[in-house]
Amino acid sequence: LVQGENTVWEVKLSNNKELRRDTFGRYEGITRFVSVSPTYYVSESSFLKLGLSLRQNTADTTAYPSVSNKRQLTRSTFAEVHIEHRNLFLTGTARADSHSTYHTHTTYKLSCAYSLKGLGTTLKAQYGTGFKLPTLSQLYGYYSGPWGKTLGNSKLKPEKSEGWSAGLSQKLPLLKASLGARYFKNRVWNIVSS
């Protein structure tokens, strides 16, 4: 984390390893990740955040089906804008993921809130889309559990989703608490679960 006068730079690095061995076989997966994202503060409460990331996954397994040095590469760009003006709060995010197997997909989310300060009430709404890739473990790995062995499925498709919500929250000063209610609806296609 590096800070300038109005800008904060965030850098993330990770290297994770997953290893499973039993009588069924061996699965070894490695995930390497790097991300760079500067955030520019227009004011104390409004900002613009941009970012780039790169994720590489590799897998080797001796279980059926056996794969050696299987690779996935995902390049991502993302942006977030947050604006606060008086009682109005607006946030928008967008992300583009370019994948070595599943091509490029763009997702976004828009949210807003309006505060009725004299009443202690806040109205909220949100809409967004989602995209989730199957992992190499889900495609080529295996899982041992109390009910037996589960094999990966190399024909899995990416999971896509769309959702919206609307709600409100109410401050209750006498109880020093707040009460909220929200209605939401989500649609998911090609659900991927491990």
Side-chain angles (χ1 to χ4, degrees), residues 118 136 154:
L136 286 175
S154 61

Side-chain angles (χ1 to χ4, degrees), residues 122-134:
T122 303
L123 307 173
K124 303 174 183 180
Q126 181 175 290
Y127 174 81
T129 60
F131 176 78
K132 179 180 155 188
L133 295 166

Side-chain angles (χ1 to χ4, degrees), residues 1-115:
L1 196 64
V2 178
Q3 276 187 286
E5 188 174 328
N6 293 328
T7 307
V8 176
W9 287 81
E10 187 177 11
V11 178
K12 295 180 182 177
L13 301 167
S14 68
N15 186 43
N16 298 315
K17 187 173 185 178
E18 177 184 8
L19 181 61
R20 289 193 301 270
R21 284 191 183 124
D22 65 14
T23 55
F24 193 63
R26 178 188 62 82
Y27 175 84
E28 182 177 331
I30 298 173
T31 300
R32 294 181 177 97
F33 176 79
V34 62
S35 172
V36 177
S37 57
T39 302
Y40 177 73
Y41 286 88
V42 179
S43 68
E44 194 174 299
S45 56
S46 298
F47 63 85
L48 168 65
K49 181 175 187 171
L50 303 171
L52 300 170
S53 69
L54 182 65
R55 179 183 303 273
Q56 180 191 46
N57 298 309
T58 60
D60 289 293
T61 181
T62 58
Y64 178 81
S66 178
V67 294
S68 178
N69 204 25
K70 195 70 176 171
R71 294 180 181 269
Q72 288 180 339
L73 184 64
T74 306
R75 295 178 188 91
S76 303
T77 56
F78 51 91
E80 177 180 359
V81 176
H82 179 78
I83 298 170
E84 292 184 20
H85 181 68
R86 296 187 182 170
N87 300 347
L88 182 64
F89 307 87
L90 300 170
T91 303
T93 61
R95 181 181 186 92
D97 293 308
S98 177
H99 191 269
S100 56
T101 304
Y102 297 105
H103 312 295
T104 300
H105 295 271
T106 303
T107 56
Y108 59 93
K109 182 168 79 171
L110 304 169
S111 60
C112 66
Y114 186 77
S115 178

